[in-house]
Amino acid sequence: MKILCIHQNFPGQYKHLAPALVEAGHDVWALTLRVKERAMWKGVKLVPYKVERSSTKNVFPLVADFETKLLRATYCYRNAMTLKKQGFEPDVILAHHGWGESLFLKDVWPNARMGLYCELYHLSDPEFTQFDPEFAPKTPEDQPLKLRLKNLNNRLHEEIMDSGLSPTRFQAGTFPAAFQDRLSVIHDGIDTDTVRADPDAELQIENGPRLSREDAVITFINRNLEPYRGYHVFMRALPRLLRDRPNAQVVILGGDGVSYGSKSPDGRSWKDIFLDEVRGQIPDADWARVHFLGRIPYETFLSVLQVSRVHVYLTYPFVLSWSLLEAMSAEAAIVASDTRPVREVIAQGETGRLMDFFDREALLREIYALLDDPETRARLGAAARRHIVETYDLRTRCLPEQMAWVEELAAKTARPPRD
């Protein structure tokens, strides 16, 4: 088959699937903003497209999000038309439609079967919109309007979706009934052969200590350090944690940007806002045991997980992070927020410990209990890895299921675009 992947940050969720499709003998292409010239990646032909204008200045706020998606969709469409004129006819299109790019591709190739990566449908329930009162929207009465328009991209894609794929039951469950009969739950997969415990692992902190499994290392990992991932909760627990545990070493990974929530009102990074809030409560000697590593190579990331004595994961009811599953695969002892996406993978007292997202006392209590109990840490870590291997392993579970899903998609009769 000829298969076209659409992802603004390719490979993204197609990191494993796209090369596997190449190895299976398919002709795989990707249309992406990631490259400026045609290139090859693991057998995948990369074709660039460029958004040639920016969003309208001072556009009406409620349409700003959709205008951005529409721009991407339009320029992706124009580049797809160029490919079509050159004779390219995909049998299957695999698209992460979250940025809007794939919206008009059925108008280019109406007979192609489209499989969408359905990451999240935005819900206006208070569980989602009012989860954290500290960061409540200034105009909560406008939230349903904003979310309905944010979901316009989802709704328009539903009309052209032949099959959909969501990585977790929680994420799939956010989508309306119209999606459900075409939606499969298959995770991207964890490479458990690579992500595993290593009793000899070491982590050299630049201009700092060399850490190992012998040290009381507490880890906290986000793509970006922001409230959606509980960064504020963790930082506010830090002064007491460092005071109560004079031997603890705290390793924090994450960038300065925003992945999911909003930027701060004053434009500063959330990282700096909460760092500044607690720094005055922490003596310099204790602060020397806090290590912000930013974004690091994957090999270093694995070392962080492997030296972790307790790994803390906090999140709003939202997309589940790969890093939690990778920490479980590395047999880390987990303390996590008792929120719906987390409960899908963490069973209380079996594969980790759960606590209320906002309960700082409970967070510290659970961290201390695991620091003091090596037998429980080992039991939870071993059980966590077993669960990941049995349910989320890349090669034995997820990738074969994804490949079968593509084959089933290809066998469908394409839904034509509606006028």
Side-chain angles (χ1 to χ4, degrees):
M1 292 186 292
K2 279 187 167 60
I3 299 174
L4 177 64
C5 296
I6 307 293
H7 199 301
Q8 60 94 28
N9 192 32
F10 186 85
Q13 285 84 359
Y14 302 123
K15 175 182 177 181
H16 302 295
L17 178 58
L21 289 167
V22 171
E23 291 178 11
H26 302 298
D27 185 13
V28 183
W29 297 54
L31 195 55
T32 177
L33 290 167
R34 277 292 294 274
V35 297
K36 294 182 179 180
E37 297 179 355
R38 289 198 179 199
M40 188 79 76
W41 175 79
K42 295 188 176 182
V44 179
K45 302 176 180 72
L46 304 181
V47 180
Y49 86 91
K50 182 181 178 182
V51 178
E52 297 178 4
R53 59 160 289 175
S54 57
S55 300
T56 305
K57 187 176 181 180
N58 297 322
V59 70
F60 185 56
L62 284 177
V63 300
D65 177 77
F66 188 66
E67 187 196 26
T68 301
K69 291 180 170 62
L70 191 58
L71 285 170
R72 289 193 176 114
T74 301
Y75 286 101
C76 189
Y77 165 81
R78 292 178 182 176
N79 280 268
M81 287 297 295
T82 299
L83 285 177
K84 183 179 178 68
K85 290 174 183 176
Q86 294 170 352
F88 181 70
E89 291 285 340
D91 300 291
V92 166
I93 299 171
L94 302 177
H96 188 317
H97 69 283
W99 295 274
E101 297 161 300
S102 47
L103 185 58
F104 302 134
L105 295 189
K106 277 285 184 103
D107 296 282
V108 183
W109 297 294
N111 295 320
R113 277 73 81 197
M114 180 171 285
L116 298 181
Y117 189 94
C118 296
E119 190 163 20
L120 193 75
Y121 194 93
H122 302 278
L123 300 179
S124 58
D125 298 5
E127 176 189 1
F128 303 95
T129 61
Q130 300 174 30
F131 178 76
D132 192 342
E134 183 176 353
F135 302 101
K138 292 181 180 179
T139 54
E141 65 276 10
D142 289 348
Q143 281 302 101
L145 313 183
K146 293 178 180 178
L147 294 176
R148 188 179 302 169
L149 285 167
K150 202 174 183 70
N151 281 324
L152 183 57
N153 178 55
N154 277 319
R155 286 289 191 179
L156 291 172
H157 273 90
E158 183 273 325
E159 295 183 353
I160 57 174
M161 179 180 88
D162 295 297
S163 287
L165 183 154
S166 281
T168 67
R169 295 190 303 276
F170 169 78
Q171 288 164 256
T174 62
F175 284 84
F179 288 78
Q180 293 299 324
D181 63 344
R182 286 167 282 153
L183 198 54
S184 300
V185 177
I186 308 172
H187 196 267
D188 312 321
I190 302 300
D191 184 353
T192 63
D193 292 337
T194 299
V195 188
R196 60 190 312 134
D198 180 359
D200 299 320
E202 292 185 334
L203 174 67
Q204 177 63 58
I205 304 294
E206 186 176 357
N207 300 319
R210 180 180 291 273
L211 304 177
S212 73
R213 296 283 292 180
E214 300 302 314
D215 298 296
V217 179
I218 300 160
T219 54
F220 184 83
I221 299 173
N222 295 168
R223 180 184 302 173
N224 279 299
L225 300 171
E226 56 185 325
Y228 255 72
R229 295 307 197 196
Y231 171 66
H232 56 311
V233 175
F234 183 74
M235 288 300 289
R236 287 166 176 168
L238 206 51
R240 185 170 151 198
L241 188 157
L242 293 166
R243 183 173 66 249
D244 291 349
R245 297 291 165 148
N247 295 323
Q249 299 280 344
V250 179
V251 177
I252 300 173
L253 304 188
D256 298 348
V258 174
S259 294
Y260 303 115
S262 301
K263 293 181 179 180
S264 70
D266 65 5
R268 287 190 299 156
S269 71
W270 291 114
K271 173 189 172 183
D272 288 343
I273 287 172
F274 295 107
L275 191 158
D276 292 344
E277 179 182 316
V278 304
R279 180 63 183 89
Q281 307 169 43
I282 302 173
D284 290 346
D286 286 349
W287 188 249
R289 295 184 283 119
V290 180
H291 313 290
F292 283 89
L293 304 190
R295 292 183 173 175
I296 56 178
Y298 192 70
E299 294 75 14
T300 309
F301 167 79
L302 290 180
S303 297
V304 171
L305 296 180
Q306 289 164 340
V307 301
S308 178
R309 187 168 289 186
V310 177
H311 179 70
V312 177
Y313 178 75
L314 307 173
T315 185
Y316 287 12
F318 200 65
V319 173
L320 193 70
S321 302
W322 288 347
S323 64
L324 173 62
L325 304 186
E326 289 173 310
M328 294 172 71
S329 184
E331 299 189 35
I334 309 291
V335 175
S337 57
D338 189 8
T339 43
R340 275 210 283 158
V342 178
R343 288 199 294 271
E344 190 167 328
V345 296
I346 296 284
Q348 171 70 317
E350 296 178 19
T351 52
R353 295 280 182 80
L354 298 174
M355 38 70 63
D356 183 277
F357 179 92
F358 301 101
D359 192 339
R360 204 182 314 166
E361 291 295 320
L363 173 62
L364 290 169
R365 186 167 60 247
E366 295 293 358
I367 292 173
Y368 297 166
L370 289 178
L371 287 176
D372 294 338
D373 191 345
E375 291 183 3
T376 297
R377 290 200 310 270
R379 175 178 61 80
L380 293 175
R385 177 171 172 81
R386 280 196 303 273
H387 180 62
I388 297 302
V389 170
E390 291 169 3
T391 313
Y392 298 96
D393 182 69
L394 174 67
R395 292 180 177 83
T396 62
R397 289 293 303 269
C398 297
L399 193 53
E401 290 177 8
Q402 290 172 30
M403 295 288 284
W405 176 78
V406 173
E407 294 292 340
E408 291 170 6
L409 169 63
K412 289 177 177 280
T413 300
R415 290 163 63 104
R418 299 178 188 175
D419 295 332

